[in-house]
Amino acid sequence: KPRVCNDLSYGSPSVNSHISSDWSSFPGYTGDLILPKVDDLVKAIMDIGPSALLWKTDFSAFYKQLNTDPADINNLGFAFAGKLYIENRLPFGLRSSCLNAQRVTNATILIFRSKRAAFAIGYVDDCVGASRPFFAVGDYESFTDLSDELGLTLTLPKCVRPVPSLVWIGLEFDAPNMCLRFPEDKKQRLIEALIQWLSTSHSSKQSLQSLLGTLNHAASAITVGRAFTGHILDLIKADSFPVTLNRDFYLDVQIWLHFLQSEFAEAMTFKSPTDIPHDCLIALAVHGDKCALRIGKVLKVFQVTDQIPLTRDTLYVYAVWLATKLACDRLKGCWITCTVKTQSAANTINRARNVSPVLRPMVRHTWWLQATRDMVIRAIKSEVVRDIDSFVINCEQCEFVSVTDVPNDYL
């Protein structure tokens, strides 16, 4: 349906230029605008198990249900077809609209949880819950009743009563099979779009940002893809546009096409350490300073220190990649916890996003090995190894492996 969206960043000064991007400056609010994550719902389903029932609601024209401050009306007028209009509801295009809408959703869910002690999260106007079978209908009806009590109108055709699986924010959550899927229709549209990108030589910044957003969304279900958007991000940071698409960009697109057309796009099965057989729960002990020093010597032997500065984080990320490469056949089908001494190294290994060009080849290949060996690697900041078995890197083996062993096709 048609919506009015004003460019409130136009002009100097603009309306948005008077709104701080520091959300902590807003009265009664501290911190950033934090939207719920897919992992929050995944964890709730895992906590309940395959019997979980899922439900969702949708606030109708949510922005238009929320009033603006009457003192701001003089800033929200616009002319159209010779007539003057004034927005008295949250307008599209206003920097603070999403924050204010999310705050209302968060408050609604907080009240709901105090009444039912049930799981629910909301992404602006789309709310979803996961409940045990006996309580599911009651949880759903309690949430809809609360919305009505608070004066928030729901779009009933978009609301879904408790079911075993449903689509929320464009992803299919399947509780009985404990998996997350990227819907088939979206997958086909993305494949067609990526094929078109392969025949494109130049791009605007907006088009690249749209592509990156789509791939990041798909990576919520196709997790191996998280490590293969770095070259696109590099182009977005270019100084001038349109920018010429390079070999690295086309390589990322080709790798994503491979993922979407293979078994990687079928479903992401929810896994946790408790799902893994006792004898397959492994820790990689790559956190020791002695090991890091040894890795540093290996890097010098292979004369790659000019490209890879020997920072502490570099050594830990390299060690995790090296251990994975050396033991990937043994670790097939396992959940691996690797311990490192810095949180920044753990974030680099786990998120595979916004990775520096120095560390990108190792992180990308580590994620490729995870996908092809059906294993999960998670790094934690710790001084000691806390898991059942310890697989410690054999320092003598390190001399047989170097960064140059990483297949070029995956870099």
Side-chain angles (χ1 to χ4, degrees):
K1 60 184 178 181
R3 298 181 185 274
V4 176
C5 182
N6 292 316
D7 183 3
L8 297 177
S9 295
Y10 177 79
S12 181
S14 66
V15 173
N16 281 337
S17 68
H18 292 285
I19 301 175
S20 173
S21 58
D22 179 11
W23 304 123
S24 62
S25 65
F26 281 58
Y29 189 80
T30 58
D32 297 325
L33 169 60
I34 300 176
L35 297 172
K37 301 179 180 64
V38 169
D39 291 345
D40 297 334
L41 180 54
V42 169
K43 184 179 184 303
I45 296 172
M46 291 173 63
D47 289 343
I48 298 172
S51 63
L53 293 179
L54 312 177
W55 49 270
K56 70 175 182 178
T57 62
D58 181 273
F59 295 128
S60 177
F62 195 28
Y63 279 16
K64 301 310 173 187
Q65 295 191 53
L66 306 177
N67 295 332
T68 55
D69 189 325
D72 293 332
I73 285 180
N74 62 307
N75 294 315
L76 299 176
F78 64 95
F80 180 74
K83 295 182 179 180
L84 180 65
Y85 299 86
I86 297 177
E87 288 272 16
N88 61 359
R89 299 289 191 272
L90 288 184
F92 290 97
L94 185 67
R95 174 178 288 173
S96 57
S97 288
C98 184
L99 171 71
N100 289 324
Q102 185 65 41
R103 290 174 71 182
V104 172
T105 300
N106 290 348
T108 304
I109 289 174
L110 185 64
I111 297 171
F112 167 75
R113 287 181 172 176
S114 69
K115 291 174 174 285
R116 296 289 299 186
F119 173 84
I121 53 175
Y123 192 97
V124 189
D125 59 341
D126 293 320
C127 298
V128 67
S131 305
R132 300 185 185 279
F134 183 78
F135 301 104
V137 173
D139 291 344
Y140 171 79
E141 292 180 347
S142 176
F143 192 90
T144 56
D145 291 344
L146 174 62
S147 301
D148 184 60
E149 181 183 339
L150 296 175
L152 298 173
T153 304
L154 298 174
T155 306
L156 295 180
K158 292 184 178 181
C159 296
V160 178
R161 295 180 69 83
V163 291
S165 62
L166 56 70
V167 175
W168 179 64
I169 59 172
L171 299 171
E172 182 183 349
F173 295 81
D174 184 348
N177 294 307
M178 297 295 282
C179 66
L180 176 64
R181 296 187 185 89
F182 192 56
E184 186 65 28
D185 58 333
K186 291 193 171 202
K187 182 172 73 173
Q188 291 304 321
R189 288 199 298 270
L190 181 53
I191 289 174
E192 293 171 5
L194 291 177
I195 291 174
Q196 289 183 351
W197 274 103
L198 289 176
S199 59
T200 303
S201 59
H202 296 77
S203 175
S204 66
K205 184 174 184 177
Q206 291 79 5
S207 296
L208 287 173
Q209 288 173 327
S210 176
L211 174 63
L212 182 62
T214 302
L215 293 180
N216 281 338
H217 178 65
S220 298
I222 309 170
T223 52
V224 64
R226 292 177 183 175
F228 297 92
T229 57
H231 296 314
I232 300 173
L233 186 60
D234 290 343
L235 290 177
I236 291 175
K237 296 177 181 177
D239 294 329
S240 60
F241 290 88
V243 67
T244 301
L245 304 181
N246 55 27
R247 175 186 175 276
D248 291 337
F249 170 85
Y250 293 124
L251 181 56
D252 271 357
V253 171
Q254 289 170 340
I255 290 176
W256 261 97
L257 280 171
H258 172 70
F259 292 153
L260 291 166
Q261 295 170 334
S262 67
E263 69 277 6
F264 297 126
E266 292 302 318
M268 182 194 80
T269 304
F270 303 156
K271 291 183 179 180
S272 73
T274 55
D275 298 327
I276 307 300
H278 186 87
D279 59 351
C280 289
L281 187 60
I282 298 173
L284 299 180
V286 298
H287 63 291
D289 290 330
K290 188 174 181 181
C291 176
L293 289 173
R294 180 65 177 177
I295 294 292
K297 291 180 182 179
V298 172
L299 290 173
K300 289 179 181 178
V301 168
F302 285 96
Q303 298 180 340
V304 294
T305 51
D306 292 339
Q307 296 79 24
I308 303 182
L310 296 183
T311 65
R312 205 177 189 198
D313 285 357
T314 299
L315 295 175
Y316 292 144
V317 173
Y318 185 91
V320 170
W321 168 75
L322 187 59
T324 307
K325 183 175 174 63
L326 288 171
C328 58
D329 291 329
R330 172 187 168 185
L331 303 179
K332 207 175 273 188
C334 292
W335 176 290
I336 304 104
T337 299
C338 49
T339 58
V340 294
K341 279 189 176 178
T342 65
Q343 188 60 50
S344 53
N347 292 341
T348 298
I349 295 163
N350 292 339
R351 297 175 184 174
R353 288 174 174 160
N354 299 325
V355 178
S356 69
V358 169
L359 300 178
R360 187 178 295 158
M362 293 174 280
V363 174
R364 287 163 71 93
H365 195 221
T366 300
W367 276 72
W368 180 267
L369 291 172
Q370 288 186 66
T372 54
R373 301 306 194 279
D374 188 30
M375 59 186 180
V376 178
I377 297 176
R378 292 293 179 267
I380 58 172
K381 178 181 179 295
S382 176
E383 297 293 326
V384 295
V385 180
R386 298 180 299 178
D387 289 279
I388 301 163
D389 293 326
S390 293
F391 173 74
V392 184
I393 295 179
N394 182 338
C395 291
E396 298 304 321
Q397 288 180 288
C398 295
E399 295 189 6
F400 299 100
V401 183
S402 77
V403 172
T404 57
D405 290 334
V406 182
N408 290 330
D409 288 346
Y410 304 145
L411 302 187

